[in-house]
Amino acid sequence: MTARLLFTGGLTVLWLMLWGSVTPLAVVGGVLVATLAMVAFPFPTMTWDVTFRPWPFVVLTARFFADVLRASVQVAWLAVRPARPPRSAIVEVQLQTRSELVMTQIAEMISLVPGSLLVETDPDTGRLWLHVLDGHDEEAVAHAHRMAAEQERRVLRAFATDADLAENGHPEEAA
Amino acid sequence: MLPLLTLHFLAAAVAPVLVRYLHRGTFPVLALVPAGGFVWLLVHGRPDGTDLEHHSWIGTLGLDVSLALDPLRWTLSLLVTGIGALVLVYCTSYFRAGDPGLWRFSAVFVAFAGAMLGLVLSDNLLLLYVFWELTTVLSYLLVGHNPERSANRRAAMTALLVTTFGGLAMLVGFILLGEHAGTYSAAALVADPPASGPLVTVAIMLVLVGAVSKSALVPFHFWLPGAMAAPTPVSAYLHAAAMVKAGIFLVALLAPAYADTPGWRAVLVSLGLLTMMVGGLRALRQYDAKLLLAYGTVSQLGFLMTLVGLGTRSAALAGLALVLGHALFKATLFMVVGVVDRSTGTRDIRQLSGLHRRMPVLMVVAVIGAASMAGVPPLLGFLSKEAAFAAAEDLGHDLGWTVAGPLTLAGLTLGSILTVAYAARFVWGVFGPAPGVDPCSIKRPSYWLVAAPAVLAVASVVLGLLGGPLTELLAPHADVFPAGAHEPELTLWHGVTVPLMLSVLVLVLGVALFVARHPVAAVQHAVVDRVPMPDAERGYQLVLRGVDRLAIELTGRTQRGSLPFYLGSILVVVAAVPGTALLLAWEPTDVRVADSPAQVVVAVVMAIAAVMTVRSRRRLRAVLLAGITGYGTALLFDLHGAPDLALTQVLVETFVLVTFVLVLRRLPQHFSTRPFTLSRWVRVAIGVMSGVLVAGLAYVASGARVADPISDGFAKPAKEYGGGSNIVNVTLVDIRAWDTLGELSVLVVAATGIASLIFLITDRATLPTTRKPGHDSAWLRNPSLPPERRSIVFEVVTRLIFHAVIVFSVYLALVGHELPGGGFAGGLVAGLALMLRYLAGGRRELDAAAPIDAGVVLGVGLALAAASGLLPTLLGGGVLQSAIVDVHIPVLGTLHLVTSVFFDLGVYLVVVGLALDVLRSLGGGIDKDIETDHDDAQDDEREEVRP
């Protein structure tokens, strides 16, 4: 129920942002359209196994943008440097979490960073397969593994429930 | 007069409902309508001049609802309503209880009566044409009442084709005449005819083609005997008062002003007399009593057309009297046949025997009818025939026909002799003994069944005795013609004159012909068998078969089922015809190469993508490369300052791209294995040619503008009247909303085509509701993809953004009036949202997301757009006029509403419906296909394993 309210609120905010003005009429209209959309196209109810921690979220975001910047430069260099592009690799990553939502979050963020792309997921075993642009040696592959693991840790800190954290061997994070 | 017509069509509209409750009892209720008209006409009395009633309808076409009542129309209206009412009463007992077709029949019949009445009352020639073709279409339905028999279907089709052919010729004649004279009013055209000349002659001849075909004259006579496949009440009405009388009416209406048109009399009199002979001779050879009467009608129509076509005062009076007489006796006789048919189960005069003892009352009725037809005194038929002979005798004086006059008289006499002979054949055949056949056993008919013809027979007698008053009643119609040698008069006793002697001669020779029927029949057969006769019906069938054949050959040669061939021929024609025009109009124009470097870059990328598309061997790559040209176009739009177009182009391109990929699943990965055969080069050449052509057209067109673009003036009214600052959108939903409505209809048709042609999804309403156990997913409603194709990321993202996309689509639809967007873009975005659901979860997920028939969405959308267009007319505005309304809502503020937003929401729904149809057929349909193939393959494997 809370999730549904949150969703409606989010859609209303989206509506207000689209119209670019906050008037009583626009708010009522937004709530109306959001409710209508959710009633007309229902999804099954489910438990949202996530939470939200502000500080880790700031860390996650900041680091993400930094990664994007750094990787953009690297990939741009790989593209323009006067040499053959390096050999790419498919890397299998074992995640700790089994939460599909968190897994999606991690996969999306890895994909958004240039140079690495999600190829396949196996939610049952919690594995991801990534395509890494620069995978020419052991070190590059190890780097990809590290990057993925760190990304997961940051996402878990920002979003995973206490139970999920405890289960995945980060009890120290579960405050 | 208008309420009278309206009442007929209202009655037709409620008839099916009445049938549900009253069954056969509907007919007497329906009969009240024409009966009311009959009474109204009687009370109104015969008009002395022309009463006009005018309602404007489509002024720009000259098509107005203008009705007229004059002596001719009054007489015919009485027939149409009176006989119509009697036939409806007759229907009550004629049809069997529980006949499943009654609901349709009753409605069509009353509508037919209304159309005939409208035809007779129309003053405006275009309105007359409308009713004329209404009778054609409705008679088609009546003749084909029992469509299970192929003979009925064929007869109905023949009647439809022949009379429509004539009707179209007549329409051309009407338009020639009306445009030449500047009016479509029959009254004005008769009172003040345009000066004669070749144009008027051609127009009149075309009108006569219509009249002659409708009234079944040679060479169009064959449709009428075929049309007796209709139920007998229909035949009675069709032959007596309706349909075939339309041509007679039209000729009688125009004769006062146009009888002197060159060719008028020659055509009508010669065809009339010929038809009278042909019909009479054919009638003498029939054994089916109804067919005998039908050929009798053909003969009588020839007689009638001769009289009304002559255009003299005495002939006009005789013609009108004969119209009356013929209506009464022919309706009587057909109804008698119907009674006999219902009582004995046959109409074959070789099997009908001894009915004179079993059905004496009916026989008296039949004898009166047949005697009136034969012209036996003191019946109405005798009066009119005498008058006809008198009129023909005066032709030498009235028209100066020294040779043609006596010939006409001789022709009429000969035709009348045949009439007497087949009248006798009818009565003797139906009621007399048949050699070697035992008297028929009969089922006693209901009194009502006999009452209707009896009433008409009595009318024949009474009117026959009232020659004087009848003359006075009908004379005003004839008085518009110049006076002839004698003042015409309908009377039983003229004194011993030529007409009387001829009448006696006709009766004697006619009876003699009947008595000597066996030798006569032998001679007829001998002649028909040996002498090749021109046969109009065979000619008609040859033409029809020829057209069919041509169509098949043409289809076989051109429609070979090869898409490249179709596309190629279209493009070659485009290159040949507009291409030639382009070369002729070629003129160097000043053009800027580009407005900005970005345009050049985009254009180069698009060109490279296009060339690579043609060169690629993988289908998927070709599709993606083609997509680049699409997105490039969108970019060009945007660079040129058209964000609306760019937005729509991007959305369409995306939708098409995904659709393409969905279809590609069923095609081989690669194009043909022989990449550069000759045919491929030909295709490349055609493609290059088309591209060059379009570029050339754009080049020349850019320099061809001489006037200021109309859109220059759009900006101000778009804001002031349209209430929006997005001119593109206001143009679509307001300024040219008619066009948009038309395009919407096309879209609905296209969507229906996609749904029904590709996978025959005719029943779009039943969707699978059962949840097929696949795998558990908490994210979607009913995901049905196999586990190996499932993507958890896709599912989660779909779940998270689906509603946001829907909200965005609604925003786009609503904001369109002010900013880029609109119903079309909004609908596409909603369609893409649904596509997301389909791609993430498969076809069952799509059905769960939108558990609704796409047809319903399309229909509601179109209805909403149409209703938003019609609503303003109820409020006193024009069609599709929009209004700007500010709704004050307490507390919240003012809602600025432009009513055309409802039109845009209609567009939105239609596009969503189209998207659903595309996804269900090209997506879900192909999925199902693949699954079936897969299952089959597995079955095959199992089969192989088993032994």
Side-chain angles (χ1 to χ4, degrees):
Chain A
M1 198 61 219
T2 347
R4 198 160 286 191
L5 277 178
L6 267 175
F7 236 100
T8 314
L11 290 176
T12 309
V13 171
L14 171 72
W15 179 261
L16 293 174
M17 281 161 67
L18 283 170
W19 286 101
S21 66
V22 185
T23 62
L25 203 63
V27 174
V28 171
V31 172
L32 219 67
V33 170
T35 315
L36 207 71
M38 298 195 39
V39 170
F41 300 100
F43 278 118
T45 47
M46 56 167 301
T47 48
W48 294 83
D49 49 355
V50 288
T51 181
F52 180 75
R53 298 191 190 81
W55 178 244
F57 177 74
V58 173
V59 172
L60 172 73
T61 324
R63 184 59 200 269
F64 173 71
F65 282 114
D67 279 350
V68 168
L69 259 178
R70 186 179 41 76
S72 299
V73 174
Q74 282 173 357
V75 170
W77 171 241
L78 286 183
V80 299
R81 67 172 186 174
R84 285 171 56 88
R87 223 155 54 105
S88 55
I90 299 285
V91 178
E92 183 185 317
V93 177
Q94 177 67 53
L95 296 179
Q96 306 295 316
T97 182
R98 290 292 179 277
S99 156
E100 291 182 342
L101 192 60
V102 174
M103 208 182 290
T104 303
Q105 172 84 356
I106 295 163
E108 285 289 321
M109 292 188 88
I110 292 176
S111 284
L112 282 171
V113 174
S116 50
L117 202 64
L118 178 72
V119 177
E120 184 67 84
T121 54
D122 183 355
D124 294 336
T125 59
R127 282 178 299 172
L128 301 180
W129 286 267
L130 304 175
H131 174 270
V132 183
L133 188 61
D134 182 5
H136 68 280
D137 59 7
E138 292 285 319
E139 168 52 30
V141 173
H143 173 75
H145 273 287
R146 235 179 5 254
M147 186 200 75
E150 281 169 22
Q151 189 72 269
E152 177 181 21
R153 201 159 50 82
R154 284 194 295 275
V155 171
L156 282 177
R157 279 183 190 160
F159 294 113
T161 55
D162 292 352
D164 200 6
L165 278 179
E167 204 174 290
N168 294 319
H170 300 280
E172 74 279 8
E173 312 283 355
Chain B
M1 285 177 268
L2 192 60
L4 194 59
L5 286 178
T6 317
L7 219 62
H8 275 83
F9 290 107
L10 276 182
V14 299
V17 184
L18 283 180
V19 166
R20 176 173 285 184
Y21 297 105
L22 300 177
H23 310 289
R24 288 190 298 173
T26 308
F27 288 112
V29 178
L30 293 177
L32 290 177
V33 175
F38 184 78
V39 172
W40 180 81
L41 286 162
L42 277 186
V43 172
H44 184 272
R46 188 211 66 214
D48 291 320
T50 308
D51 300 345
L52 281 171
E53 188 181 314
H54 186 88
H55 309 271
S56 46
W57 185 13
I58 311 176
T60 43
L61 290 182
L63 174 52
D64 293 315
V65 181
S66 63
L67 305 172
L69 200 61
D70 57 23
L72 172 69
R73 290 187 166 94
W74 183 75
T75 315
L76 279 159
S77 304
L78 277 177
L79 286 179
V80 170
T81 51
I83 295 186
L86 277 175
V87 169
L88 277 168
V89 170
Y90 177 80
C91 281
T92 318
S93 327
Y94 178 82
F95 283 101
R96 294 188 176 87
D99 188 325
L102 277 193
W103 64 274
R104 189 182 61 214
F105 177 85
S106 57
V108 173
F109 191 91
V110 178
F112 181 65
M116 193 60 210
L117 186 62
L119 193 162
V120 169
L121 291 179
S122 296
D123 176 56
N124 186 297
L125 289 183
L126 296 177
L127 184 69
L128 188 148
Y129 172 75
V130 170
F131 282 119
W132 182 284
E133 293 298 31
L134 260 183
T135 62
T136 302
V137 172
L138 293 170
S139 71
Y140 169 75
L141 294 174
L142 289 173
V143 173
H145 172 66
N146 181 4
E148 279 133 41
R149 290 184 48 205
S150 71
N152 292 13
R153 292 199 305 272
R154 214 169 30 238
M157 187 53 91
T158 307
L160 184 75
L161 284 181
V162 171
T163 53
T164 309
F165 163 77
L168 285 176
M170 182 184 79
L171 177 64
V172 175
F174 280 168
I175 292 175
L176 282 180
L177 200 61
E179 291 299 319
H180 182 60
T183 174
Y184 283 98
S185 160
L189 281 167
V190 169
D192 183 19
S196 61
L199 191 140
V200 173
T201 308
V202 169
I204 290 297
M205 284 304 134
L206 286 170
V207 171
L208 290 187
V209 171
V212 164
S213 66
K214 193 85 161 180
S215 287
L217 255 58
V218 172
F220 302 108
H221 60 287
F222 55 89
W223 73 261
L224 187 57
M228 64 116 218
T232 300
V234 175
S235 301
Y237 195 46
L238 205 87
H239 287 242
M243 190 78 174
V244 293
K245 290 291 166 67
I248 307 290
F249 162 71
L250 187 64
V251 170
L253 183 69
L254 296 178
Y258 299 94
D260 290 326
T261 308
W264 170 286
R265 288 195 179 90
V267 167
L268 290 181
V269 173
S270 57
L271 285 185
L273 289 175
L274 183 62
T275 308
M276 196 174 176
M277 303 299 163
V278 170
L281 286 171
R282 284 280 189 100
L284 279 179
R285 288 170 52 201
Q286 303 308 321
Y287 292 105
D288 181 338
K290 200 172 166 188
L291 202 52
L292 192 160
L293 286 182
Y295 276 109
T297 306
V298 171
S299 171
Q300 292 286 310
L301 285 170
F303 191 7
L304 278 166
M305 198 57 103
T306 308
L307 289 179
V308 295
L310 276 172
T312 66
R313 182 179 285 194
S314 48
L317 183 71
L320 193 55
L322 188 62
V323 166
L324 195 60
H326 176 253
L328 295 181
F329 67 66
K330 196 46 70 72
T332 310
L333 293 177
F334 266 109
M335 290 192 205
V336 166
V337 171
V339 177
V340 170
D341 193 7
R342 274 280 174 268
S343 311
T344 64
T346 181
R347 299 191 307 243
D348 192 325
I349 57 175
R350 287 166 299 191
Q351 290 172 14
L352 290 168
S353 183
L355 290 190
H356 61 293
R357 284 187 208 286
R358 309 276 166 119
M359 308 175 101
V361 179
L362 190 69
M363 187 186 74
V364 171
V365 171
V367 165
I368 292 174
S372 184
M373 179 157 77
V376 176
L379 302 166
L380 183 56
F382 172 74
L383 296 192
S384 49
K385 190 166 287 184
E386 286 268 285
F389 286 151
E393 188 196 353
D394 285 348
L395 284 179
H397 172 273
D398 294 352
L399 297 175
W401 282 13
T402 43
V403 182
L407 273 179
T408 307
L409 185 59
L412 292 183
T413 312
L414 204 58
S416 299
I417 293 171
L418 295 173
T419 307
V420 173
Y422 72 70
R425 178 183 175 86
F426 174 79
V427 173
W428 185 262
V430 173
F431 291 95
V437 178
D438 293 333
C440 300
S441 57
I442 63 159
K443 210 175 75 199
R444 195 142 292 284
S446 98
Y447 289 108
W448 287 106
L449 213 49
V450 185
V455 168
L456 291 173
V458 170
S460 284
V461 178
V462 172
L463 289 177
L465 297 174
L466 294 175
L470 199 60
T471 310
E472 267 177 47
L473 211 57
L474 303 183
H477 167 63
D479 287 346
V480 293
F481 293 92
H486 302 93
E487 201 51 33
E489 194 190 1
L490 300 168
T491 174
L492 285 173
W493 181 251
H494 286 282
V496 183
T497 52
V498 175
L500 183 72
M501 316 248 261
L502 282 176
S503 284
V504 174
L505 181 74
V506 162
L507 285 175
V508 170
L509 285 182
V511 170
L513 205 57
F514 169 68
V515 172
R517 58 190 178 280
H518 297 301
V520 169
V523 170
Q524 269 191 297
H525 280 296
V527 172
V528 172
D529 289 349
R530 303 227 172 95
V531 185
M533 293 272 190
D535 188 334
E537 187 167 8
R538 197 170 300 154
Y540 162 81
Q541 278 161 358
L542 276 180
V543 169
L544 219 57
R545 211 170 304 145
V547 170
D548 279 352
R549 182 83 213 170
L550 185 72
I552 291 170
E553 294 276 340
L554 207 63
T555 313
R557 302 260 158 106
T558 55
Q559 310 280 303
R560 300 188 311 197
S562 158
L563 200 55
F565 178 76
Y566 297 161
L567 207 57
S569 18
I570 291 172
L571 289 176
V572 165
V573 172
V574 168
V577 181
T580 315
L582 178 69
L583 287 180
L584 293 176
W586 188 263
E587 208 173 299
T589 315
D590 287 335
V591 286
R592 289 189 306 279
V593 175
D595 290 331
S596 68
Q599 284 181 333
V600 179
V601 173
V602 175
V604 169
V605 170
M606 283 170 68
I608 294 173
V611 171
M612 283 174 66
T613 306
V614 180
R615 292 192 54 85
S616 74
R617 294 208 34 225
R618 290 173 73 96
R619 284 177 205 271
L620 187 62
R621 174 182 293 170
V623 166
L624 294 178
L625 284 168
I628 291 181
T629 62
Y631 288 116
T633 310
L635 211 53
L636 282 182
F637 286 152
D638 195 46
L639 288 171
H640 208 80
D644 248 302
L645 272 181
L647 174 67
T648 312
Q649 172 71 21
V650 165
L651 293 173
V652 170
E653 194 59 43
T654 308
F655 199 90
V656 168
L657 201 62
V658 179
T659 312
F660 244 136
V661 174
L662 291 177
V663 176
L664 281 192
R665 293 177 298 167
R666 263 323 222 180
L667 294 175
Q669 275 198 347
H670 295 272
F671 289 110
S672 150
T673 47
R674 291 162 293 145
F676 279 89
T677 53
L678 179 67
S679 73
R680 183 127 189 224
W681 282 113
V682 170
R683 286 177 206 173
V684 169
I686 292 176
V688 169
M689 199 164 60
S690 314
V692 169
L693 175 75
V694 172
L697 283 175
Y699 176 76
V700 169
S702 65
R705 185 182 285 287
V706 288
D708 290 332
I710 192 174
S711 54
D712 283 354
F714 277 14
K716 224 174 110 188
K719 184 76 189 162
E720 283 172 11
Y721 298 102
S725 40
N726 179 359
I727 303 178
V728 176
N729 185 262
V730 176
T731 306
L732 285 176
V733 299
D734 196 331
I735 298 176
R736 39 148 283 183
W738 269 116
D739 295 15
T740 311
L741 196 61
E743 288 156 10
L744 274 193
S745 320
V746 173
L747 207 58
V748 170
V749 173
T752 310
I754 289 171
S756 53
L757 283 181
I758 300 178
F759 280 109
L760 258 178
I761 308 177
T762 47
D763 186 11
R764 289 183 284 187
T766 53
L767 298 167
T769 47
T770 50
R771 190 185 162 118
K772 199 173 174 182
H775 55 82
D776 285 331
S777 164
W779 303 100
L780 300 175
R781 288 195 83 191
N782 193 7
S784 52
L785 289 177
E788 69 272 14
R789 279 186 50 207
R790 193 184 156 202
S791 162
I792 183 65
V793 173
F794 204 174
E795 286 181 16
V796 172
V797 172
T798 301
R799 166 88 191 230
L800 289 176
I801 68 168
F802 179 79
H803 285 134
V805 178
I806 292 291
V807 166
F808 180 57
S809 77
V810 175
Y811 161 80
L812 273 183
L814 294 181
V815 83
H817 233 56
E818 298 294 331
L819 295 167
F824 194 77
L828 275 172
V829 170
L832 286 173
L834 290 171
M835 184 179 269
L836 208 56
R837 293 286 289 272
Y838 164 73
L839 291 176
R843 64 188 170 92
R844 292 208 179 79
E845 172 64 17
L846 176 69
D847 289 340
I852 187 167
D853 179 356
V856 172
V857 182
L858 287 167
V860 169
L862 194 59
L864 185 63
S868 78
L870 282 178
L871 199 64
T873 58
L874 296 182
L875 305 173
V879 179
L880 289 164
Q881 185 175 341
S882 64
I884 306 167
V885 192
D886 283 317
V887 187
H888 298 284
I889 305 171
V891 185
L892 293 178
T894 304
L895 179 64
H896 182 71
L897 186 73
V898 182
T899 52
S900 54
V901 76
F902 295 109
F903 186 83
D904 231 4
L905 286 177
V907 177
Y908 178 92
L909 286 179
V910 168
V911 176
V912 171
L914 171 74
L916 268 181
D917 257 343
V918 168
L919 289 176
R920 290 229 168 96
S921 53
L922 297 180
I926 292 182
D927 282 344
K928 220 160 149 185
D929 223 30
I930 294 174
E931 282 166 28
T932 321
D933 277 7
H934 194 63
D935 291 349
D936 286 353
Q938 282 182 344
D939 287 348
D940 287 349
E941 274 168 32
R942 260 175 247 135
E943 290 284 318
E944 280 164 23
V945 169
R946 199 169 295 156

